[in-house]
Amino acid sequence: MAYSPKVMEHFSNPKNVGEIKDADGLGKVGNPVCGDQLFLYIKVKDDIITDIKFKTFGCGAAIATSSMVTELAKGKTLDEALKITRKDVANELGGLPPQKMHCSNLAADALHNAIHDYLIKQGRESPP
């Protein structure tokens, strides 16, 4: 299973690692099959993601996709960030082996969950 140089870069030197204690939105996702777990935190000002951090417990691909999704979302409006897809994350990393595609699902889903969490807290969206 070969990873692209971009996957290896984001795994070896992940961007935006950490936790935002007073986050405006939190996305939590996990995959019980592989054991990966991801927490994604966002700060929002004027509907723009001004800061974003993640904590991932999982494989190299899960860490790389988490790092990449934070890079894709930072500075974007909420609407733009909600359009980031699982495929976008994988493509930006130069692709993922088929058995690791679920990792890009985790990253994109965590981002969307964090945005929905923020919108619910703002009273702009109904809880699921």
Side-chain angles (χ1 to χ4, degrees):
M1 170 175 35
Y3 289 116
S4 73
K6 213 161 187 186
V7 170
M8 294 309 296
E9 169 62 23
H10 278 272
F11 168 61
S12 301
N13 301 296
K15 316 291 188 266
N16 308 303
V17 175
E19 187 176 335
I20 301 173
K21 292 289 185 199
D22 59 343
D24 295 323
L26 170 61
K28 296 183 281 190
V29 294
N31 184 329
V33 173
C34 65
D36 293 341
Q37 193 167 28
L38 165 56
F39 299 87
L40 192 135
Y41 309 84
I42 60 171
K43 289 294 282 180
V44 180
K45 184 169 177 30
D46 300 326
D47 272 4
I48 294 173
I49 297 174
T50 57
D51 197 10
I52 183 166
K53 302 252 186 255
F54 76 92
K55 285 172 54 177
T56 295
F57 306 93
C59 67
I63 292 167
T65 57
S66 300
S67 174
M68 179 53 78
V69 85
T70 64
E71 290 288 284
L72 291 172
K74 189 182 271 187
K76 296 267 194 308
T77 66
L78 298 177
D79 286 340
E80 289 169 337
L82 280 170
K83 292 177 183 161
I84 295 171
T85 67
R86 300 164 172 184
K87 189 173 181 180
D88 293 335
V89 176
N91 287 346
E92 283 294 320
L93 285 168
L96 289 169
Q99 64 270 37
K100 292 296 181 180
M101 279 303 290
H102 67 274
C103 296
S104 66
N105 296 354
L106 290 179
D109 291 352
L111 172 62
H112 297 167
N113 289 351
I115 293 168
H116 291 301
D117 180 55
Y118 168 75
L119 293 171
I120 290 166
K121 289 176 179 173
Q122 296 297 306
R124 294 166 54 189
E125 197 172 272
S126 298

